[in-house]
Amino acid sequence: MNYSNHITQKSLEKMTPQHWRKEVKTFPWNEYQRYILEWIQSSNRHGSIEAVAGSGKTTLIEGTVATLPSKSRIKIVAFNVHIVERLKTKGRIPISRVSVSTSHSLAFSLLIAMMRGQAKLDENKPTQILKQTISKYQSHPEKYSFEDTPLGKLELKLFRNLIKKIASFCQKTLTDPENTEECQKLCLHYNLNYQFPTQKYDFIQQTLIEQRITQWAIRCVTYYLKVSEKIASETGQLSFDDLHWLCHKWQLIPPKYDYCLVDEAQDLNASQIALIKSLANQGARLLFFGDRFQAIMGFQGSDSNSWIKISQEFNTENLPLSICHRCDHSIIKLARNLVPYLQGDPLKEQGCVKYIAHQGVLDQIQDGDLILSRFNAPLIRWCLAALQKNLSAKIRGRNIGKYLIEIAKQYLMDELDWPTQWLDNLNSHYQKLIETANKNEDSLLAAQYEDEQKCLLYCYSEFKSPDFDTFCQQLLNLFDDENRPSLLLSTIHRAKGDEAKRVFLLNPEALPYFNKNKKTWEDEQEINLLYVALSRAMNELYLVNTPRNANPKEPGEIKELDKSIEEVFTLDLIEHSSKIRKQLLDEIVLQYEQGIKEAQDEKEKEQIQQLYLIKCSLLETQIL
């Protein structure tokens, strides 16, 4: 058995916490894992463990629990419920003294305790508040300036959805909606702006009116959040977005823990970081596990600079976990252009990276294959084609299906509108959205709008649904989070945490998808998305040339195309590698100088120097 397979087998073994606590001493940890475990035992500082893709992060979390004092109280904050269940069911975590949950579950438990068991999640709460908010603002036109521009049914629906979106981002980012300047920055940052479904006025006049309506929406958010808080305090009704926000607003005090281990910390939003900080204020030592180069959830309200801000706010020691046991050497070589300190397992079996044509891919699918795409529409097209070939196929992300259904509902004013008027409403509004985004040189937003439109139109053309309810159910049936089909399709965002022996990445020529308006944080996250995509493959990575109207059902053998892998993407990989390497080295030197300056004794200085040497060697850089 080679070292790589031994690691995999040992990390998957089920055992009791007592057995694992003994086993952890002889477990075949690599040099970085051993250093981290020794540092955790010898230091009292908060720590940031920067774990590359496939580095055995979950196993290290389990090892950390086993090496901490046996009577210590430990909290593990996992990224999602799947990781929570994985940690609980493997049997290595002593759940009698180690609490494992998502941050949302932690926040909910605090609210339940505060409300003496009366707290309950109500997914219809936002809809109820929106009705009350709109009624309030329409009944006081002299105060709220709402009737200057009368809105039709569809226009009012879009206005209500904008209020809901702005309120959600205010809660996630802890932005005060009464601070107009900050709220305007928020809307600009996340593209939260009102747009008419059609061109009603000349371009300049319509733009000014749309800006004014966006300001009305911001005013409505102030009232919306006050009502949301009032309902929560009086009835215990909570929306999902209320959880972290109310814990922060009401300054709820969490239970005391000795240690708090936070998974996927690079994708925390401001409200989640505030909750983690409250644990530190209660005496918990914080250990963050994550990877700045896998920060990809900025579009949902996560702080794109979360990893750096965490390091600064909590003064963490930054520790590398840089060996990827998942990917073959050819994949590692390619991915190192994005993450220069990424290292491969020397005993990993040989695989391949190939740039191929789309013809015949579905004919060659094997059980356990994974198909990835930056956007949803290609996944729907390929999933339906796979089903027509009698393959067991599903798309990851049930809530994506629910989101598309919510969009579809916006354009149905009456059941009798299906499908003609629905199609007219959908197409005219998206045409307007895409045109406006392109005029503003926001190519990424335009691509996202186009993707949503294509998803709905392609489903409509394929389903031949007799009514709207049937259409919605057929759409939802494409998505599944519970069962692993023979062929799993996923957006890159949804694939984080997944792996497969063979991965097919659709339309790699469009990656990273850079935005014309040059929002730096969006460009950085697009590059991170490429890294996440490349690092899902264990043995074989196929970059699938997918022309705009490519038919996934076309038969054939897998055909390799005559083009260098490094030239497939929109990014100059060599130039980017040099740039990132310099940034990381500057950061390492700064951390070293600051650490030496703040060191309490010679032993701590030796630790800092040792860590500095490790980081420099990872970048294959001469030591200063």
Side-chain angles (χ1 to χ4, degrees):
M1 181 187 297
N2 69 31
Y3 177 75
S4 178
N5 288 336
H6 185 49
I7 280 282
T8 303
Q9 181 175 326
K10 297 290 283 184
S11 65
L12 291 176
E13 281 183 14
K14 286 188 177 182
M15 56 185 74
T16 64
Q18 294 77 16
H19 184 194
W20 171 239
R21 195 170 183 85
K22 294 177 183 177
E23 182 76 14
V24 76
K25 296 176 183 178
T26 57
F27 189 85
W29 303 108
N30 64 44
E31 58 183 301
Y32 302 109
Q33 292 168 326
R34 281 198 304 272
Y35 181 88
I36 290 167
L37 291 173
E38 290 170 1
W39 176 85
I40 288 172
Q41 290 177 296
S42 63
S43 175
N44 292 317
R45 287 185 63 184
H46 299 312
S48 298
I49 292 85
E50 190 143 19
V52 300
S55 60
K57 172 167 60 75
T58 302
T59 303
L60 181 63
I61 289 174
E62 294 168 334
T64 299
V65 171
T67 56
L68 292 173
S70 60
K71 293 184 178 180
S72 57
R73 297 160 298 175
I74 302 171
K75 178 69 183 179
I76 299 178
V77 179
F79 183 66
N80 57 40
V81 292
H82 297 294
I83 296 174
V84 170
E85 290 306 310
R86 191 188 310 166
L87 287 168
K88 286 183 175 180
T89 55
K90 281 174 71 174
R92 295 178 176 182
I93 303 295
I95 57 176
S96 59
R97 65 177 178 85
V98 179
S99 171
V100 186
S101 73
T102 63
S103 66
H104 289 90
S105 294
L106 171 59
F108 189 38
S109 68
L110 298 184
L111 290 163
I112 289 175
M114 182 259 190
M115 297 175 182
R116 299 181 181 180
Q118 297 304 307
K120 52 188 177 293
L121 282 171
D122 182 1
E123 62 181 17
N124 293 319
K125 181 183 176 182
T127 302
Q128 296 167 4
I129 300 174
L130 279 170
K131 289 179 181 178
Q132 189 174 337
T133 303
I134 295 296
S135 176
K136 170 88 171 177
Y137 273 61
Q138 284 180 315
S139 63
H140 295 81
E142 73 287 349
K143 184 176 181 180
Y144 301 114
S145 305
F146 191 81
E147 290 189 345
D148 296 20
T149 305
L151 301 179
K153 281 187 179 181
L154 176 55
E155 293 165 344
L156 192 57
K157 267 192 174 184
L158 298 173
F159 179 69
R160 288 168 59 182
N161 285 340
L162 179 60
I163 295 170
K164 184 179 175 181
K165 283 183 180 179
I166 297 175
S168 174
F169 277 95
C170 281
Q171 289 177 301
K172 291 172 182 173
T173 61
L174 300 181
T175 300
D176 181 1
E178 294 192 47
N179 186 330
T180 305
E181 185 178 350
E182 288 302 310
C183 212
Q184 286 174 338
K185 288 180 182 177
L186 177 83
C187 291
L188 182 64
H189 185 82
Y190 292 108
N191 298 309
L192 304 173
N193 300 295
Y194 185 82
Q195 290 190 33
F196 281 108
T198 58
Q199 195 70 36
K200 295 180 66 173
Y201 312 95
D202 67 70
F203 180 75
I204 295 177
Q205 183 184 9
Q206 181 146 321
T207 300
L208 292 173
I209 294 173
E210 287 170 343
Q211 289 174 352
R212 187 150 54 92
I213 294 176
T214 301
Q215 293 304 310
W216 296 345
I218 291 173
R219 292 179 200 158
C220 288
V221 167
T222 301
Y223 178 77
Y224 175 102
L225 292 180
K226 285 180 179 177
V227 173
S228 185
E229 182 179 2
K230 186 172 185 287
I231 290 174
S233 64
E234 292 178 353
T235 70
Q237 280 182 289
L238 301 167
S239 70
F240 197 67
D241 288 330
D242 282 339
L243 300 179
H244 297 102
W245 176 68
L246 286 177
C247 284
H248 174 73
K249 195 168 180 61
W250 292 347
Q251 295 295 293
L252 300 189
I253 299 174
K256 289 187 177 182
Y257 294 98
D258 300 305
Y259 300 90
C260 176
L261 284 58
V262 186
D263 188 26
E264 300 290 353
Q266 77 280 351
D267 280 321
L268 295 175
N269 61 41
S271 66
Q272 290 172 310
I273 292 174
L275 182 62
I276 301 301
K277 187 174 182 179
S278 70
L279 290 167
N281 291 339
Q282 288 293 99
R285 180 185 175 194
L286 305 179
L287 297 172
F288 297 95
F289 294 78
D291 181 358
R292 75 181 78 185
F293 294 110
Q294 292 189 70
I296 58 175
M297 305 305 288
F299 73 102
Q300 285 191 346
S302 298
D303 192 327
S304 57
N305 291 314
S306 177
W307 189 256
I308 301 298
K309 289 183 179 179
I310 283 170
S311 179
Q312 293 171 344
E313 179 163 357
F314 298 102
N315 190 27
T316 63
E317 183 72 88
N318 297 289
L319 305 159
L321 185 60
S322 302
I323 296 178
C324 172
H325 297 286
R326 175 189 297 153
C327 303
D328 126 275
H329 296 294
S330 54
I331 300 170
I332 293 290
K333 181 182 177 182
L334 181 60
R336 271 181 68 87
N337 290 300
L338 305 174
V339 183
Y341 52 72
L342 181 68
Q343 293 185 316
D345 184 334
L347 298 178
K348 179 73 180 179
E349 61 187 86
Q350 187 64 33
C352 66
V353 180
K354 293 182 179 180
Y355 180 47
I356 63 173
H358 73 278
Q359 291 91 344
V361 168
L362 288 181
D363 292 330
Q364 308 299 324
I365 286 296
Q366 299 174 10
D367 188 39
D369 283 350
L370 174 64
I371 292 180
L372 297 179
S373 170
R374 170 64 180 84
F375 297 105
N376 287 296
L379 297 177
I380 290 177
R381 191 178 182 92
W382 280 70
C383 185
L384 289 171
L387 293 171
Q388 290 167 12
K389 284 180 172 283
N390 296 317
L391 294 171
S392 169
K394 288 287 184 181
I395 303 172
R396 167 68 54 77
R398 188 91 170 158
N399 64 347
I400 296 174
K402 291 179 179 179
Y403 173 70
L404 290 171
I405 289 170
E406 285 302 309
I407 292 175
K409 286 179 179 178
Q410 289 183 168
Y411 303 104
L412 192 74
M413 302 298 108
D414 187 282
E415 290 296 330
L416 297 176
D417 291 344
W418 177 262
T420 307
Q421 189 59 49
W422 177 81
L423 283 171
D424 288 345
N425 291 340
L426 174 75
N427 287 326
S428 62
H429 187 215
Y430 270 101
Q431 181 182 354
K432 164 71 168 48
L433 291 174
I434 294 166
E435 284 177 359
T436 304
N438 283 325
K439 282 180 181 177
N440 294 331
E441 294 192 337
D442 198 335
S443 54
L444 180 57
L445 184 61
Q448 289 166 350
Y449 286 145
E450 187 177 351
D451 183 54
E452 292 172 1
Q453 182 186 24
K454 281 182 176 179
C455 285
L456 294 172
L457 291 179
Y458 192 72
C459 286
Y460 168 75
S461 68
E462 290 294 311
F463 293 162
K464 307 292 189 296
S465 310
D467 55 63
F468 185 71
D469 288 342
T470 303
F471 171 80
C472 292
Q473 190 57 54
Q474 288 174 304
L475 196 161
L476 194 59
N477 288 343
L478 292 176
F479 297 85
D480 192 354
D481 291 323
E482 301 302 324
N483 305 303
R484 180 56 160 97
S486 296
L487 173 61
L488 179 64
L489 300 96
S490 175
T491 62
I492 303 171
H493 284 98
R494 285 281 161 188
K496 194 165 70 167
D498 278 333
E499 63 181 19
K501 288 185 177 180
R502 304 201 317 164
V503 172
F504 296 83
L505 176 59
L506 304 180
N507 197 21
E509 302 90 348
L511 297 174
Y513 199 99
F514 290 131
N515 206 346
K516 289 180 181 178
N517 70 5
K518 295 296 180 185
K519 283 186 179 177
T520 303
W521 73 272
E522 287 182 330
D523 283 355
E524 288 174 352
Q525 299 226 329
E526 288 297 317
I527 294 172
N528 292 349
L529 273 175
L530 176 58
Y531 168 54
V532 170
L534 300 181
S535 58
R536 298 310 93 193
M538 300 167 70
N539 299 103
E540 300 172 27
L541 174 63
Y542 295 99
L543 309 175
V544 185
N545 175 254
T546 318
R548 193 174 185 85
N549 295 315
N551 182 359
K553 292 182 284 188
E554 285 188 60
E557 297 292 326
I558 290 181
K559 177 186 175 183
E560 192 167 358
L561 300 177
D562 186 20
K563 190 172 186 178
S564 166
I565 296 296
E566 287 77 13
E567 295 176 355
V568 170
F569 309 105
T570 61
L571 180 70
D572 185 325
L573 293 178
I574 296 176
E575 181 183 328
H576 179 75
S577 177
S578 176
K579 174 186 171 184
I580 290 296
R581 194 180 296 273
K582 183 180 184 307
Q583 288 178 359
L584 290 171
L585 182 59
D586 289 346
E587 183 181 312
I588 289 169
V589 172
L590 184 63
Q591 289 172 353
Y592 171 75
E593 292 174 346
Q594 184 177 343
I596 291 294
K597 186 177 179 181
E598 296 175 357
Q600 299 295 315
D601 51 40
E602 288 302 316
K603 183 180 178 181
E604 188 173 350
K605 282 186 179 180
E606 286 179 12
Q607 271 191 333
I608 292 167
Q609 288 170 340
Q610 184 182 1
L611 185 58
Y612 172 69
L613 295 176
I614 290 172
K615 291 180 177 179
C616 284
S617 67
L618 282 171
L619 292 175
E620 299 174 355
T621 303
Q622 280 192 331
I623 299 165
L624 300 180

